[in-house]
Amino acid sequence: MKKIFLLLTISIFAALLVACGNGGSEEAVTDDSEESEETAENAENEETEEAGGTISIAASPAPHAEILEEAATVLEEEGIELDISIVNDYTTPNRLLADEEVDANYFQHTPYLETEKESHDYDITSAGNVHIEPMAVYSQDYDSLEDLPDGSTILVSNNPAEEGRFLSFFVDAGLVEIEDGIDIEDATFDDITSNEKNFEFDNQTAPELLVSMYENNEAPAVIINSNFALDGGLSPTEDSIVVEDGNSPYANLVAVRTGDEEREDIQKLMEVLQGEEIKQFIEENYEGAVIPTE
């Protein structure tokens, strides 16, 4: 009996040890499983944050902000939200970008960007072109550049990067000549060598004020950027006396801080802005007043 009792005691003790051991193993397996699930969940969250998140972007009201609003509906499906700040001047957006108050801006073309970088030592760059806004000349009283009387004042914006662009209308019409060897994109008013009708180019006005000056008939002719014209209810193709064609080198771009053009969300933004949906939106809504880049 003693031997039997001893054997039973040993068996029960062994069973208890096995049971305790199994319990510990189950607990360890459970802990490991929970840690694995947590790690996978964290990785998934990090991946989502990397691919998605919010892009803050400063833009002119029209057409830039309108195009961005359309792009936002597409980007939302990718988990990317656009936080659009409307800025109605040409100096604030690059400062906001350089000061890291926004992630990007959308309002300018390459010549202006290069001028701003040189003037302010901004470390910003283009993430890609989106559209062209053909600039146009408007007049209340005359139907063509040739009809403008001798000595006419031509109101233009105070943007020095676009002086060659303003002059191109008159050079193409044979009314003004510039110094040989200077590309029209780089030309300034100082490069004029012939101006037979003695046109005076008045560049003292902020671009956002030119629409009201045209409406008030303050000069025989006013050259207006299409974004301000559209915002003021003017159609560059219908209301102007001459408009740039689609070969203009002044494509509007999205600018970011240098290096951020490699960000996944910025690349996705550009993919959408340069995609077929946005091209179709531009063509259908602006009827030639805004032209998508190729």
Side-chain angles (χ1 to χ4, degrees), residues 7-285:
L7 288 172
L8 286 171
T9 301
I10 293 171
S11 297
I12 292 170
F13 181 68
L16 287 172
L17 286 175
V18 171
C20 289
N22 284 344
S25 296
E26 288 176 3
E27 185 178 350
V29 170
T30 302
D31 290 344
D32 289 344
S33 177
E34 289 177 353
E35 288 178 5
S36 298
E37 290 178 4
E38 185 178 350
T39 301
E41 185 178 349
N42 289 339
E44 185 178 349
N45 289 338
E46 288 175 3
E47 184 177 347
T48 302
E49 289 175 2
E50 183 179 352
T54 300
I55 300 173
S56 57
I57 182 166
S60 299
H64 305 80
E66 296 170 350
I67 293 171
L68 288 174
E69 290 288 355
E70 184 68 18
T73 62
V74 182
L75 287 165
E76 189 176 0
E77 299 174 2
E78 304 289 337
I80 298 174
E81 179 183 353
L82 284 187
D83 180 10
I84 304 166
S85 299
I86 295 177
V87 181
N88 204 21
D89 68 68
Y90 279 177
T91 58
T92 303
N94 282 332
R95 180 186 59 76
L96 293 176
L97 179 58
D99 290 346
E100 301 187 10
E101 295 184 41
V102 295
D103 298 312
N105 66 43
Y106 176 32
F107 78 103
Q108 64 193 322
H109 51 60
T110 298
Y112 183 75
L113 172 61
E114 294 304 317
T115 299
E116 283 277 276
K117 288 167 64 175
E118 183 176 348
S119 299
H120 302 283
D121 198 28
Y122 289 145
D123 190 16
I124 58 181
T125 191
S126 170
N129 294 333
V130 181
H131 73 268
I132 296 167
E133 295 174 23
M135 187 177 281
V137 184
Y138 299 81
S139 177
Q140 298 272 19
D141 302 315
Y142 305 99
D143 296 326
S144 70
L145 297 180
E146 289 80 5
D147 291 339
L148 294 173
D150 191 282
S152 288
T153 295
I154 316 298
L155 290 178
V156 302
S157 80
N158 56 1
N159 180 1
E162 292 190 318
E163 290 186 6
R165 192 179 187 185
F166 305 142
L167 287 171
S168 66
F169 291 105
F170 300 87
V171 171
D172 292 344
L175 298 171
V176 167
E177 294 179 4
I178 62 172
E179 189 173 336
D180 289 341
I182 295 179
D183 293 334
I184 191 63
E185 297 173 32
D186 301 322
T188 69
F189 297 136
D190 291 335
D191 297 317
I192 296 174
T193 57
S194 176
N195 181 7
E196 293 184 1
K197 298 189 77 170
N198 301 305
F199 294 135
E200 179 184 346
F201 295 92
D202 183 338
N203 61 342
Q204 302 302 309
T205 303
E208 61 269 23
L209 301 178
L210 290 170
V211 170
S212 63
M213 296 181 79
Y214 160 71
E215 292 173 341
N216 294 332
N217 202 15
E218 296 185 31
V222 184
I223 303 180
I224 306 175
N225 298 74
S226 283
N227 58 312
F228 292 111
L230 291 169
D231 196 42
L234 295 175
S235 168
T237 54
E238 296 179 7
D239 297 324
S240 69
I241 60 175
V242 60
V243 62
E244 286 177 326
D245 61 28
N247 296 320
S248 169
Y250 298 91
N252 279 227
L253 55 88
V254 172
V256 296
R257 287 182 292 279
T258 302
D260 281 358
E261 68 273 19
E262 303 297 330
R263 278 173 43 175
E264 184 179 347
D265 56 350
I266 296 296
Q267 291 184 352
K268 191 64 185 178
L269 169 65
M270 297 313 304
E271 180 182 326
V272 170
L273 288 174
Q274 295 171 341
E276 289 304 317
E277 288 186 61
I278 296 303
K279 286 183 178 180
Q280 185 176 353
F281 172 81
I282 291 173
E283 290 168 353
E284 291 178 354
N285 284 270

